[in-house]
Amino acid sequence: IGYNPLYVFRGIYAGFNPQVLMLINGIPLTNLFQGDRNVVWGGMPVEAIARIEVIRGPGSALYGADAFAGVINIVTKGPGEIENNSAGLSLGNFGTKDVWISAAGEAGDFTYSAVIELGETDGTDELIEVDAQSLLDFVSGTSVSNAPGSVNRSEQNLDLRFEAIYKKMRLRFGSQIRKDIGDGAGAAETLNPTNKFASKRFNIDFTYTEEELFKDTSVEFQASYLDTSQEVEGDFILYPPGSTGPFLDPLGVPLFPPFPDGVIGNPEIFENHLRAGIKADYKGIERHHISLGAGYYDGEIDKVTEEKNFGFNPFTGMIILPGDPLVDVSDTSLVFLTEDKRENYYLYFQDVWLLGNDWELTAGIRHDDYSDFGTTTNPRFALVWSTSYKLTTKFLYGEAFRAPSFAQTRAINNPLILGNIDLKPEEIESYEIAFDYRPNYQLTLNTNFFYYDWTDIIQFVPDISGSTRTAQNAGEQTGYGMEFEVNWSATKNLTITSNFSIQSSTDETLDVPASKSPEKQFYLRSDWKLPSEWRINMQANWVMDRNRMVGDLRPTVDDYVVFDLSIRKALTASFEVGLTINNAFDEDAREPSPNSAPVPFIPNDLPLSGRTVLGEIRYSF
């Protein structure tokens, strides 16, 4: 929905992609509603980002819930990462505009930094040829589909990051305001260019660090607060004006005449998240580095609102008919989601033990107690062997869990799917062996082999009535594969980075290959510094072998290669210009659309962006 990005590790993917934990400065962004970053994501600009850290595989022993397939930690720029104040402007096709300013300063022991970024775009002009309404037009005799039509990918973003450091204390504040966010190909797989979402995300965190509280002991305390929302601008039209909607009898005959304003549903959700934790590191035992931690989380969906022009009117008990005004079902038994909260207490322990000159063992375990689904305990082990001067070998084992989302446990009035409050968390076990080979200072080669078993997968299973599906812990998936990385400083001015991954995953419930995730992926990047302050960056991403879902009779999804180019030139010590061309060869790249019933509603899959061009000027002062 909304063409949100998918972060897929090792073939592990489902639904709204909640199996990956994203952090900003070590603090989760996870929303309770779908368990992802936010349905109204709207992207994240990069000017305020210092670096991005990625951990593949289970990480619940340290990070808790949702550190399942992998962890992505976005570290923002603090006073130490902003060497010069700067401002910039970029312009591109499809009405793309971005402007930013970053600054840092100090006054004695007090240092600070701030980054402000504003951006907007009309999206792209990629077409959806046929949508769900096209099929409904055929069934009902209407002709109101907006297909063929462009993918709805507009957005307006305002991002602010502020950080202040005083002696042992650090305070961070961030806001991400999203407006005019298009819904991609539509929540119901129907196009409507007027559908727009909004979101407000505010976060603040405070960290206090005592490097030598006692001898060989350091302590860190952290508290954070996140307020986030999913909002609708205007009306969210599920099916366009003149549609009879998806309300059909068993023979496929529409139950209602056309809805003059379309089928409208305006769901809005407001969440808040409070976290507090303390951790201590102790190095007083020879050959051991011990870490202890404890914490508390309180998350709440404190406000759910909904207006719609279909279903039942809770005030009259009558069916809402086409042409009736919108009915506000907020705070009634017919709202789509129950307002509720979730609490979590946790404890973790980790010991890094130097067994010998060539062997090191990291062993950790974390215990979580949740107010709604009970307790879970997750260990991890990593045995590191310095095999030779140039080669390091690692043996890893880990377990992790993913907490059920509120959409899976507390959805109560959806015409198609129902939540289940008795769900258990999804679980995974993973085994890995990794080789880190460095033949010289210029070249690093990493190879990793893995196997995992993913159990209690939450799926929506058809009910006996046949009209709805209820969330159940019904699935299991296993997978194995290999990942290979190369980092090569070919010359003083040329760096080449590449990686290749191959995985084979099986849906054990149906005994078929798992769908959607690429079985092979190859990435190549080069960074080249030329004389006269020129810099060239080239990268290619080759995505291969994505399987269709069971029962999907369409041809195999085509592979694609996307090539990007960026050229930069420093005109003076203060001015720099740049040109970026994404998808330079205008590749027709597509990701699989759902296999809806009775046929795929968008048969030709979901087109990604074609060629885009962006020019940039940057000024440092």
Side-chain angles (χ1 to χ4, degrees):
I1 291 180
Y3 264 54
N4 283 333
L6 303 178
Y7 306 108
V8 182
F9 291 74
R10 301 173 175 175
I12 299 171
Y13 166 72
F16 287 79
N17 193 209
Q19 289 80 15
V20 174
L21 177 64
M22 179 175 282
L23 314 170
I24 293 185
N25 299 313
I27 299 171
L29 278 178
T30 305
N31 282 208
L32 288 169
F33 175 43
Q34 292 290 0
D36 61 357
R37 278 65 61 187
N38 194 308
V39 174
V40 188
W41 175 240
M44 184 169 182
V46 300
E47 186 61 30
I49 297 176
R51 65 185 184 277
I52 300 174
E53 303 166 339
V54 179
I55 302 174
R56 295 170 299 198
S60 287
L62 273 183
Y63 299 101
D66 312 320
F68 195 84
V71 178
I72 300 172
N73 184 31
I74 299 172
V75 182
T76 59
K77 292 178 181 176
E81 286 84 19
I82 299 178
E83 296 182 1
N84 299 299
N85 299 339
S86 66
L89 169 69
S90 61
L91 301 172
N93 51 346
F94 306 114
T96 303
K97 308 177 190 69
D98 295 283
V99 61
W100 68 89
I101 184 169
S102 62
E106 61 180 333
D109 292 330
F110 178 77
T111 60
Y112 64 89
S113 64
V115 182
I116 301 175
E117 302 172 86
L118 297 97
E120 66 176 31
T121 183
D122 296 331
T124 69
D125 60 359
E126 302 304 310
L127 290 180
I128 298 289
E129 294 86 356
V130 175
D131 68 355
Q133 185 58 46
S134 303
L135 177 63
L136 290 172
D137 283 347
F138 176 79
V139 171
S140 63
T142 55
S143 182
V144 296
S145 171
N146 290 306
S150 296
V151 178
N152 185 8
R153 296 189 64 185
S154 65
E155 60 183 58
Q156 293 182 12
N157 299 335
L158 168 62
D159 288 71
L160 170 64
R161 297 285 169 190
F162 174 79
E163 183 169 330
I165 302 173
Y166 179 70
K167 294 184 178 180
K168 301 174 183 180
M169 297 177 288
R170 182 193 302 266
L171 179 70
R172 295 188 182 102
F173 170 80
S175 66
Q176 295 181 291
I177 310 300
R178 302 291 180 258
K179 297 174 57 179
D180 195 38
I181 303 295
D183 66 343
E189 298 184 73
T190 62
L191 298 179
N192 195 300
T194 65
N195 283 347
K196 304 296 178 184
F197 280 101
S199 175
K200 300 181 183 70
R201 300 193 285 274
F202 301 99
N203 68 277
I204 186 168
D205 62 85
F206 171 79
T207 304
Y208 176 83
T209 304
E210 187 64 67
E211 297 289 350
E212 195 71 18
L213 180 63
F214 307 110
K215 184 181 178 181
D216 300 316
T217 304
S218 63
V219 174
E220 179 182 280
F221 168 79
Q222 186 174 74
S224 66
Y225 178 78
L226 169 67
D227 193 276
T228 180
S229 66
Q230 171 190 308
E231 303 173 48
V232 178
E233 295 183 346
D235 287 327
F236 183 65
I237 300 175
L238 295 165
Y239 297 90
S243 172
T244 57
F247 312 108
L248 309 174
D249 69 14
L251 298 177
V253 178
L255 296 176
F256 301 107
F259 287 74
D261 300 316
V263 179
I264 298 173
N266 296 330
E268 297 191 325
I269 296 173
F270 300 82
E271 305 185 19
N272 59 77
H273 305 257
L274 175 66
R275 302 175 189 272
I278 186 169
K279 66 177 182 179
D281 289 302
Y282 179 65
K283 300 180 181 179
I285 302 176
E286 186 178 2
R287 293 178 173 265
H288 290 267
H289 179 179
I290 297 174
S291 299
L292 293 166
Y296 170 74
Y297 162 73
D298 184 316
E300 181 179 15
I301 294 182
D302 61 342
K303 182 180 178 182
V304 175
T305 67
E306 183 181 17
E307 294 178 319
K308 58 183 181 180
N309 67 349
F310 62 93
F312 283 90
N313 187 324
F315 307 105
T316 66
M318 305 293 290
I319 294 176
I320 304 171
L321 296 173
D324 286 351
L326 288 173
V327 177
D328 188 344
V329 298
S330 309
D331 299 319
T332 75
S333 61
L334 294 183
V335 72
F336 74 101
L337 189 76
T338 303
E339 296 174 5
D340 207 345
K341 67 184 299 182
R342 169 180 287 168
E343 292 183 285
N344 165 226
Y345 296 89
Y346 68 85
L347 292 166
Y348 73 84
F349 169 86
Q350 178 176 280
D351 182 17
V352 181
W353 181 11
L354 185 62
L355 299 173
N357 292 334
D358 299 329
W359 292 89
E360 181 181 270
L361 174 66
T362 298
I365 190 168
R366 173 166 161 155
H367 179 76
D368 287 84
D369 188 344
Y370 279 84
S371 58
D372 53 347
F373 60 81
T375 63
T376 176
T377 303
N378 295 270
R380 73 163 186 160
F381 302 95
L383 182 61
V384 181
W385 175 30
S386 298
T387 317
S388 70
Y389 179 72
K390 298 179 180 180
L391 175 65
T392 301
T393 305
K394 303 176 183 179
F395 307 90
L396 304 103
Y397 171 81
E399 297 180 13
F401 73 101
R402 182 186 80 79
S405 71
F406 277 26
Q408 294 168 329
T409 58
R410 295 159 173 83
I412 55 175
N413 285 299
N414 187 300
L416 299 177
I417 61 174
L418 297 174
N420 177 3
I421 196 66
D422 295 322
L423 287 177
K424 300 183 296 183
E426 297 180 351
E427 297 181 341
I428 191 170
E429 284 187 275
S430 174
Y431 304 83
E432 301 177 47
I433 180 170
F435 303 94
D436 184 335
Y437 181 57
R438 305 188 182 196
N440 53 55
Y441 290 111
Q442 290 75 41
L443 180 62
T444 300
L445 307 172
N446 292 312
T447 307
N448 188 73
F449 299 91
F450 62 85
Y451 170 83
Y452 68 83
D453 185 4
W454 174 16
T455 57
D456 287 328
I457 301 174
I458 298 172
Q459 300 172 335
F460 286 93
V461 178
D463 296 317
I464 296 176
S465 66
S467 61
T468 58
R469 294 178 297 153
T470 297
Q472 305 286 354
N473 293 106
E476 180 178 1
Q477 180 173 310
T478 60
Y480 63 89
M482 182 270 290
E483 298 156 335
F484 178 69
E485 293 179 89
V486 177
N487 291 282
W488 182 30
S489 297
T491 70
K492 181 180 178 180
N493 297 315
L494 175 62
T495 301
I496 295 175
T497 303
S498 181
N499 58 66
F500 173 71
S501 63
I502 180 170
Q503 62 89 18
S504 177
S505 299
T506 301
D507 182 336
E508 297 291 344
T509 309
L510 301 173
D511 193 24
V512 296
S515 62
K516 294 188 178 181
S517 302
E519 291 190 344
K520 302 183 187 71
Q521 189 161 351
F522 177 75
Y523 175 80
L524 177 65
R525 168 178 173 144
S526 66
D527 293 283
W528 194 8
K529 296 179 181 179
L530 297 175
S532 303
E533 299 297 324
W534 286 90
R535 286 183 292 158
I536 298 178
N537 166 267
M538 295 177 288
Q539 64 179 17
N541 187 33
W542 185 7
V543 176
M544 298 166 271
D545 299 347
R546 290 158 294 165
N547 298 309
R548 296 287 190 188
M549 297 180 66
V550 172
D552 192 332
L553 302 180
R554 289 177 290 175
T556 303
V557 187
D558 288 338
D559 301 342
Y560 64 79
V561 182
V562 173
F563 180 82
D564 303 327
L565 172 67
S566 181
I567 303 172
R568 294 183 175 275
K569 165 68 173 174
L571 301 178
T572 68
S574 299
F575 278 99
E576 180 183 90
V577 294
L579 176 69
T580 298
I581 306 174
N582 291 319
N583 196 358
F585 299 120
D586 204 23
E587 173 83 355
D588 183 17
R590 292 174 184 256
E591 287 293 327
S593 59
N595 181 32
S596 308
V599 296
F601 294 152
I602 301 178
N604 203 23
D605 292 314
L606 303 173
L608 304 185
S609 297
R611 183 187 299 114
T612 59
V613 180
L614 197 71
E616 176 188 307
I617 185 168
R618 179 185 297 266
Y619 173 63
S620 300
F621 56 96

